[in-house]
Amino acid sequence: QLQASGGGLVQTGGSLRLSCAASGRTFSSYAGGWFRQAPGKQREFVAAISKSAANTYYADSVKSRFTISRDNAKNTVYLQMNSLKPEDTAVYYCAADTFVAAHERGYAYWGQGTLVTVSS
């Protein structure tokens, strides 16, 4: 089971850190990903990280602003979001599976989502 947290309301230019904690599983055995879904839009890829954190991947829209990381000792994957923009407003979902991927089909396990709202 994956539990996403850390969402909230922030002003343009602000920062938030999302966390995705795994229970019942050893997260170090899985790659992790973050996706988001804005109102009226399809869910889209944000970032992904390999099991060992050796490889990370980002959507072009968040590159240089967001950083995905993990602490396998805490069974948690993080998404540090800086320089937030109103267009980053969405429900953010974490996901996990055996291999890292940049599309939804690559993940079998999903968290419940946490809402990020960026005010202009």
Side-chain angles (χ1 to χ4, degrees):
Q1 185 175 358
L2 301 177
Q3 180 75 32
S5 62
L9 174 64
V10 64
Q11 291 185 334
T12 296
S15 298
L16 282 174
R17 188 176 81 158
L18 305 184
S19 298
C20 178
S23 60
R25 300 179 185 276
T26 302
F27 216 154
S28 60
S29 301
Y30 297 88
W34 286 97
F35 292 77
R36 67 186 182 186
Q37 186 168 21
K41 295 188 176 181
Q42 290 188 329
R43 189 155 56 184
E44 64 176 4
F45 169 75
V46 175
I49 188 166
S50 60
K51 298 173 194 177
S52 66
N55 297 296
T56 57
Y57 305 89
Y58 297 94
D60 288 343
S61 59
V62 306
K63 214 171 281 186
S64 79
R65 299 189 298 122
F66 290 10
T67 302
I68 189 170
S69 62
R70 64 190 305 154
D71 185 337
N72 287 336
K74 295 184 178 180
N75 244 15
T76 302
V77 170
Y78 303 98
L79 185 68
Q80 177 66 45
M81 306 186 296
N82 298 328
S83 303
L84 282 162
K85 305 175 182 180
E87 51 264 44
D88 295 316
T89 294
V91 176
Y92 284 71
Y93 298 89
C94 63
D97 211 315
T98 305
F99 300 107
V100 68
H103 50 80
E104 291 186 70
R105 299 184 307 277
Y107 295 91
Y109 308 106
W110 290 83
Q112 86 290 1
T114 184
L115 177 63
V116 172
T117 304
V118 184
S119 63
S120 57

